[in-house]
Structures are given as structure tokens and as C-alpha cells.
Amino acid sequence: MAGRIAKSIKNAKVGLVFCSLNLLFTFFARRYFIDFLGSDLLGLNSIVVSLLSFLNIAELGIAAAVAFSLYTPLFQGDHSKINAIISIQGYLYRNIALFITAVSLILIFFFPFIFEKVDFPLYYAYATFFALLVNVILGYVVNYKQIIFQADQKNYTVTYICQGGKFLKIIAQILILVYLDPSYSYWLWLSMEVISAVFISISLEIAVKKYYPYLKTSIRIGKQIRKQHVYLLKTTKQVFFHKIGGFALMQTSPLVIYTYANLNLVTIFENYNLILLGTILLISNLFNGLVSAVGNLIAENIPEKITKIYWELFAFRTWLSGLIIFGFVLLCDPFISLWLGKEFIMPRSAFFFLTAIFFLRLFRENTDIFLSAFGLYKDIWAPITEAVLNIGLSFLLGYYWGLTGILCGVFISLFLIIFLWKPYFLFKEKMNISPASYFKGMLKHLILLSLALILSYALIKIIPIDPSASFAYCALYGLCILVVFSFISLPLFYFVFPGMRDFFARIFAYYQH
């Protein structure tokens, strides 16, 4: 277990550093983009990204299924099986790349209808689409081998390359926006997307050859042996449906908003969404490698140990989710006002549902880690239902209540499937305690978290600091939020929940060694 903890901590350290840097400079880049090129062009970028995500839906499931299939052969040192599995992935990915290319060529004929509300010349949409498409295609024909780093708990290597390349790209794009003429800066901004994608692909290929010299994949062999690995194809099909729910959550909202409003409202939503997704990415990097660590733990097949680790992570992640939501509610609007201006503030009713969505997305991660590590994807009706509810309710409620209705639809789908069904399914199928025991434990955690939030809010309102006065005051207020919430909530969680005590004991024991 110590080895898994060491790798997880290294992944977390590297991931947090690069993710924090990229998130910080992304805020600068977004501000400069709006200042020099306008919010409508930024909204256009968001729509193009969503369209590419629709094409990318063909992949959904393969990477997760391959990572799951690699845990055991990596643990056993079975190089031939590792080569076979990744060769199958290469064959499947090549076909997906061909599919995406073909559909892209068809889709561009509909651009005059898709972007009829856009004030820019249509070639802006074409150029943006093809520049971002390069990154997608390279991910399938070159970058797919990086999956071995993830499965082997060495994702920090991928982070160095991908996040490091992204950091350099963002810096270059900021310099382009600030110092070059806006008439051609956008085209150079797009060119950096292509250059960075090529740089990252080449670097990943070099890293794979360096750390895994035995990895010799062949698309031809992958095609020949794919039917011998029925379990992989079956898992891929199951994961595909599960990823659809996540896709509907992540990518459809900008398109629905664009349907009922304009590119400016898309930009307002995406500004908040950037904060939300950036925070989730930071937390994901904090727990980077846990899926593979839990996967290796599950390979040991000790049910009591698996359950104990689940509750350790659950207690800490529940506390962390509470801290993040507390800060998000109190700091998000002041930060947006300082960052971009008051005209980019979201309506309060919409913000309420966005906050609720944010909490559910943070809260779900612990269960998702164990579902992925178990390879538990057979409930394919659940993601289909989630996607249907998400898109259907977003369109229906959005028609009556605009952005608030769209976000309400997203929240309902998450609450029913992610908050209620997913943990029930996990505990019913694989854990050695009943789903009723889970919900009882979950309720205790949420009640105590609510008490901590109420007490913290009452105390923080006494502090005479206006976070909207300046970035310095905003940061100082954020520090006060951290101190106040931690002072109130950590003792409560530590003394009430054994999982929290076990979590800190494990971390302290690691650092003592």
C-alpha cells in the first residue's frame, strides 16, 4: 500500500503544480481574449469545442476499459498481454480517427446554418474547427499509448508533458493577444493550438519509448486479436454508455444556451464553468492515480480493506467538497466582477443551481473511482437515462426559464442518477456492506457538513472584508474562509468519523517514513 500511496502523492504534487499554473494563466488569457477580440469570438470557440466533443463521442469508453484491463498484466509483468491490449486500442483509435475525419468533412457543410447567428465571417468558424480538430486526431493516432502511464500510476510523466506543453502554449497565446495586431492575432492564437498539439504528441511518443521499451504495438495485430479479448470489447461498450452521461453534462449546456440566447450568454456561462471545471481539475490532480491505486487494491481482493479505504476517502472528499462549495458561493461573483466586470455576473437563480451541480460533481468522484476500479459498468440504462433527462429537461425548462431552467434540468438528472443510483449500485454489487448502510453513513456526513457550513457562514460574515474591493482583498477573504471552515469542520469530522481519522493517520504515517 505504501508504494501506491507514494505514487499517488507524486502524481498529486506534479498535477497540482501544473494544473494551478495553467488555471491561473488561463484566467489571464481569457481576460485578454475578451479585451482584445471580444466575448462573441470567445463564445464561438466554446461552440466549436462542443461540436468537436460530439464527434469525440465515438471514443467514449475505450480508454477507461483499456486502463482497467491493464491493471492485472502490469501487476504481473505480463508484457505480451500489455502489448496486445494497447495494440487493440491502437486499432480502435485509428478507426475512430477515420470516423471523426469523415464526419467532420460532412459537418462543415452545415456551418452556414449552425453559425447563422454569428456576426463573424464564416471562415472564423472553419479555421477554429480545423485547428482544434488537429489536436483531437493526434490524440487517436499518436497519443493513445500514454494510457500505460495512467494504469501504472505514473501519470505524472504525462502531466509534465501535456500540462507543461499547455502552459507554454498559454503563455505564447497571451503574448500574441497583448503585443500583436488584433487583425491577425487570432490566427496566430489558433496556430499555437496546432503547434502545441504536435509538440505534445512527439514528446509523449519519446517518453513511452524511454520508460516502456518493451511496448511494441501494432494496429495490424490489434485488428487480428481483438476478438480474442472479448472482455475488453464488452467493457468498452458498457463504458461508452456511461461516458454519454458525462458528455451530456459537460458539453451540451453551451449548445442549449446558444439555442435560446446568444454567444455573449454562452461566454458568461463558460466563465463560471471555467472556474468550476478548473477546480474539479485541481481536485482530480490531487487524487491523481487513485483509480489505478484502488484498482491494484481490488486486485488483492480483501473486501474489508476495500471498504475501509472507501470510507477514508469518502470522509475527506466530503469535507473537501464542503470547503470548495463554501468558497465558491462567497467568492465566485466578487472574483468574476474583478476579473471581467460586473456585466459578466450570472443571475442569482442560475447561480444557485450551478452551485448545486458543482457540489454533486465533487461529491460523486469517490464513488466513480471505485466503480471504475471495479470495472462496474453494466448498468447502461443509467447513463442513457441521465443523458435523456439532462438534455430533455434542459431544453424544456430552458424554454420557460432560460439559463436557470437549463441548469435546473442538469441538476435533476445528476441528483437522480449520480447522487442516488450510482452509490446504491456500487454497494449492492461489490462492497461488503449494504446500500442502506451507505446512505445512512452519507446522511451523517451531509448533516455534519451542513452544520459546519452554517456555523462557518455565521462567523465569516462578522469579518469586515469586502472581497470585491480588489484581488488582494478577495485572496485575503479566501484565506479567512479556509481558516474559519477548517477550524470549525475539521475537529467535527475527525472526532465523529473513523474514516477521517484513518485518512489522516495514513497520510501522517507515510510522511513519517
Side-chain angles (χ1 to χ4, degrees):
M1 187 65 188
R4 286 194 290 268
I5 293 176
K7 288 181 179 179
S8 295
I9 289 178
K10 184 172 183 179
N11 282 326
K13 287 179 178 178
V14 175
L16 279 173
V17 170
F18 278 97
C19 185
S20 299
L21 283 173
N22 282 334
L23 183 60
L24 175 63
F25 280 88
T26 297
F27 284 125
F28 284 116
R30 196 171 184 87
R31 171 61 187 268
Y32 288 129
F33 196 110
I34 292 175
D35 285 347
F36 291 100
L37 299 176
S39 61
D40 283 352
L41 188 54
L42 190 57
L44 173 67
N45 266 267
S46 298
I47 298 302
V48 169
V49 169
S50 295
L51 290 174
L52 281 171
S53 298
F54 269 107
L55 298 181
N56 211 27
I57 198 171
E59 190 280 337
L60 297 182
I62 297 176
V66 168
F68 170 72
S69 301
L70 286 172
Y71 295 146
T72 300
L74 280 169
F75 183 75
Q76 297 172 344
D78 189 344
H79 292 175
S80 62
K81 192 169 185 179
I82 293 170
N83 282 322
I85 291 172
I86 299 182
S87 291
I88 295 172
Q89 182 193 18
Y91 166 72
L92 296 174
Y93 268 28
R94 186 199 64 178
N95 290 339
I96 291 173
L98 293 173
F99 169 80
I100 290 177
T101 302
V103 175
S104 296
L105 294 176
I106 297 173
L107 181 63
I108 60 175
F109 288 104
F110 295 91
F111 273 24
F113 304 100
I114 296 173
F115 296 102
E116 62 180 350
K117 294 195 294 183
V118 174
D119 293 330
F120 301 101
L122 200 55
Y123 58 78
Y124 275 79
Y126 288 119
T128 304
F129 182 81
F130 283 111
L132 299 180
L133 179 63
V134 170
N135 189 27
V136 174
I137 298 300
L138 287 175
Y140 288 116
V141 299
V142 179
N143 301 354
Y144 67 91
K145 296 176 188 177
Q146 67 174 288
I147 193 70
I148 194 170
F149 288 109
Q150 176 186 331
D152 201 25
Q153 283 190 269
K154 295 178 180 178
N155 212 43
Y156 52 83
T157 304
V158 177
T159 302
Y160 279 128
I161 296 170
C162 294
Q163 295 297 324
K166 181 180 178 181
F167 176 72
L168 294 176
K169 178 197 73 175
I170 294 172
I171 294 296
Q173 288 177 328
I174 290 175
L175 294 175
I176 287 170
L177 292 173
V178 173
Y179 292 107
L180 297 183
D181 191 312
S183 62
Y184 58 84
S185 62
Y186 182 64
W187 310 113
L188 292 174
W189 186 92
L190 285 179
S191 71
M192 291 309 305
E193 294 286 341
V194 177
I195 292 170
S196 67
V198 173
F199 169 78
I200 289 171
S201 296
I202 294 173
S203 300
L204 283 172
E205 185 69 13
I206 293 172
V208 169
K209 290 180 179 179
K210 176 181 178 180
Y211 291 103
Y212 301 95
Y214 64 81
L215 188 61
K216 308 294 182 183
T217 62
S218 168
I219 292 175
R220 179 181 57 83
I221 293 176
K223 179 180 180 180
Q224 293 173 352
I225 66 174
R226 71 189 189 282
K227 293 184 179 179
Q228 299 174 18
H229 296 262
V230 178
Y231 69 95
L232 176 58
L233 298 178
K234 179 181 178 181
T235 304
T236 297
K237 292 176 183 177
Q238 291 175 343
V239 177
F240 171 81
F241 287 101
H242 283 268
K243 295 292 184 178
I244 287 177
F247 167 80
L249 171 65
M250 294 285 290
Q251 302 299 339
T252 58
S253 292
L255 294 174
V256 179
I257 295 169
Y258 178 60
T259 300
Y260 289 124
N262 52 46
L263 290 176
N264 187 59
L265 187 57
V266 172
T267 300
I268 291 175
F269 168 77
E270 285 294 308
N271 291 335
Y272 281 82
N273 204 35
L274 175 63
I275 297 173
L276 188 152
L277 294 178
T279 306
I280 291 175
L281 185 59
L282 282 172
I283 301 305
S284 296
N285 278 282
L286 178 64
F287 292 93
N288 203 357
L290 271 183
V291 174
S292 52
V294 173
N296 292 326
L297 173 68
I298 288 170
E300 296 178 5
N301 196 26
I302 306 176
E304 294 77 13
K305 190 175 182 181
I306 294 170
T307 302
K308 182 175 182 293
I309 296 297
Y310 179 90
W311 285 113
E312 287 182 27
L313 296 174
F314 184 88
F316 180 73
R317 290 197 69 123
T318 300
W319 173 84
L320 186 61
S321 298
L323 171 62
I324 293 169
I325 290 300
F326 190 48
F328 183 75
V329 169
L330 294 178
L331 291 175
C332 194
D333 280 357
F335 178 77
I336 291 285
S337 179
L338 291 168
W339 174 33
L340 300 171
K342 293 183 179 180
E343 66 271 22
F344 289 96
I345 297 292
M346 181 180 289
R348 298 307 299 171
S349 57
F351 182 72
F352 170 81
F353 282 107
L354 184 67
T355 303
I357 291 168
F358 193 10
F359 179 77
L360 291 183
R361 294 185 65 178
L362 292 168
F363 194 73
R364 70 179 292 178
E365 290 298 323
N366 198 57
T367 297
D368 284 354
I369 286 172
F370 281 78
L371 287 170
S372 297
F374 274 115
L376 203 55
Y377 302 113
K378 64 182 181 180
D379 61 328
I380 60 174
W381 68 269
I384 295 173
T385 303
E386 180 189 355
V388 171
L389 286 173
N390 189 326
I391 298 173
L393 290 175
S394 292
F395 271 105
L396 176 63
L397 300 179
Y399 177 79
Y400 291 102
W401 297 301
L403 181 58
T404 300
I406 293 169
L407 296 178
C408 179
V410 175
F411 170 76
I412 293 172
S413 68
L414 281 177
F415 181 80
L416 294 176
I417 303 300
I418 300 303
F419 186 76
L420 297 180
W421 166 253
K422 287 296 185 180
Y424 172 84
F425 179 58
L426 171 64
F427 277 78
K428 178 177 178 292
E429 293 290 330
K430 291 294 183 179
M431 307 296 278
N432 67 335
I433 63 173
S434 67
S437 298
Y438 162 78
F439 283 108
K440 182 179 178 180
M442 178 199 70
L443 189 60
K444 288 180 179 178
H445 282 77
L446 291 182
I447 289 174
L448 196 65
L449 178 63
S450 299
L451 175 62
L453 287 170
I454 292 170
L455 294 174
S456 299
Y457 183 76
L459 187 58
I460 199 70
K461 297 308 289 183
I462 300 174
I463 299 176
I465 298 176
D466 181 8
S468 62
S470 68
F471 282 113
Y473 279 112
C474 190
L476 180 61
Y477 199 61
L479 180 61
C480 293
I481 289 171
L482 172 63
V483 172
V484 169
F485 183 78
S486 299
F487 177 79
I488 292 174
S489 61
L490 275 178
L492 290 176
F493 270 68
Y494 186 85
F495 288 110
V496 173
F497 300 124
M500 196 68 160
R501 295 194 294 273
D502 292 339
F503 178 84
F504 280 110
R506 188 180 301 279
I507 298 299
F508 291 149
Y510 168 77
Y511 278 107
Q512 284 177 353
H513 287 86

